[in-house]
Each structure stands twice: as C-alpha cells, then as structure tokens.
Amino acid sequence: MKIRTLILAAALLLSGAGFAGCSDSDDPSMAAETPPVTPSR
C-alpha cells in the first residue's frame, strides 16, 4: 500500500510540474530575444 501511495504522489508531482511548465502566463521580459538580422549584400 505504501508503494502505491508513493507512485501516486510521484505521478501527481510530475503532472503538476508539466502543467506549470506549459503555462501561458510566462513573463515576456524573461524570454530570450533574437537580434534583428540584416541581409548581406
């Protein structure tokens, strides 16, 4: 019974971390931006 509880807790923790990682409320100032690219002549 203890092993089943540990497996359930681990599954809930991992699924919660997955949902938190896919959140749309990320701060855009933390995103890495690409500098503008100018074509060479």
Side-chain angles (χ1 to χ4, degrees):
M1 185 70 178
K2 191 172 188 177
I3 293 175
R4 178 177 269 174
T5 305
L6 288 174
I7 291 173
L8 177 62
L12 289 174
L13 180 72
L14 290 174
S15 65
F19 286 127
C22 295
S23 174
D24 287 338
S25 64
D26 292 336
D27 187 9
S29 66
M30 297 296 290
E33 295 184 17
T34 307
V37 178
T38 55
S40 60
R41 293 183 182 230

